[in-house]
Amino acid sequence: NIGIDTVATIVNDLITTVLLFGQFAILGKRGLMILASGYLFSSLMALAHLLSFPGLLAPTGWLSGGSQTTVWLYMFWHAGLPLAVLLYVRQCANGAAAAPVALGGNGNGGPSRRNPVLIAVAAVIVVVAGVVLLTTVGHDAMPTLLTVVDNAPVYTLAYRIVVGAISALAAVNVFLLWRRRLLSVLDLWVMVVMCAWVFDIALSAIFNHQR
């Protein structure tokens, strides 16, 4: 059931977000904040995708959009975390991810790092709101990813290109993490997540003929 699966994903992503932001509050490493923001984006986009899915919570979904709204929300949802992981990998490459964020305060970590967390959360919410507006209010300006042939929804070439690019981005992240000489436990965990991301996209969007 897509509703149950999506709700489970939202809960898991929110738990991971809290854990990563909590570790950032203790250690102050930029990489943790980047990953936490990626997971928060993923959870909020999964919620938007759930609310827009036709026939799940309402005949046409709770978000007023069009025939391409749900599929575009899926694309943005699955592109967000790989982009955050790519930023994390690049930060690790130049050593910035391992360096604590320089902040004022008492030097104990917690209170002095509340503002960056709040800013990151606010920024993610603004981005998610912008994506939702783009895929609903600006629906007519979006390329067609899903069309109907013989009363059945069929993916277009544009869909294959977009979803292929997202899957390739996740695969590139796996390669970039794998080729690092010194892997932390977090790096290994992120690598496993990106592998699962590739398989998820492949099974749900690449190797199937229609929704």
Side-chain angles (χ1 to χ4, degrees), residues 129-145:
V131 170
V132 171
L133 287 175
L134 177 63
T135 55
T136 52
V137 177
H139 170 269
D140 294 339
M142 305 294 289
T144 300
L145 301 182

Side-chain angles (χ1 to χ4, degrees), residues 15-207:
I15 292 173
T16 306
T17 298
V18 172
L19 292 175
L20 289 171
F21 272 133
Q23 285 298 299
F24 168 76
I26 297 172
L27 302 175
K29 294 181 179 179
R30 292 184 178 90
L32 294 171
M33 183 168 62
I34 291 172
L35 289 179
S37 299
Y39 270 97
L40 178 59
F41 177 85
S42 177
S43 63
L44 295 179
M45 288 303 302
L47 177 60
H49 180 266
L50 180 68
L51 294 178
S52 71
F53 205 91
L56 186 61
L57 301 176
T60 58
W62 280 7
L63 296 179
S64 58
S67 61
Q68 306 301 308
T69 296
T70 300
V71 66
W72 267 112
L73 286 173
Y74 177 91
M75 296 303 175
F76 282 109
W77 166 20
H78 282 77
L81 186 58
L83 284 174
V85 171
L86 182 61
L87 291 175
Y88 167 78
V89 173
R90 291 186 63 84
Q91 290 287 328
C92 290
N94 58 28
V101 175
L103 298 167
N106 55 20
N108 294 327
S112 64
R113 296 193 176 98
R114 289 176 181 170
N115 287 341
V117 171
L118 294 177
I119 292 173
V121 171
V124 171
I125 293 175
V126 169
V127 171
V128 170
V131 170
V132 171
L133 287 175
L134 177 63
T135 55
T136 52
V137 177
H139 170 269
D140 294 339
M142 305 294 289
T144 300
L145 301 182
L146 191 66
T147 187
V148 177
V149 177
D150 296 330
N151 296 323
V154 177
Y155 300 136
T156 65
L157 177 60
Y159 176 96
R160 301 292 181 182
I161 293 174
V162 173
V163 78
I166 295 173
S167 182
L169 176 60
V172 167
N173 285 332
V174 174
F175 173 75
L176 292 176
L177 286 166
W178 172 77
R179 67 190 295 267
R180 294 188 63 198
R181 293 183 178 179
L182 298 176
L183 287 174
S184 65
V185 174
L186 180 60
D187 292 338
L188 292 173
W189 174 57
V190 172
M191 189 187 303
V192 171
V193 171
M194 287 294 97
C195 286
W197 212 255
V198 172
F199 299 146
D200 171 32
I201 297 172
L203 291 175
S204 63
I206 295 180
F207 297 122

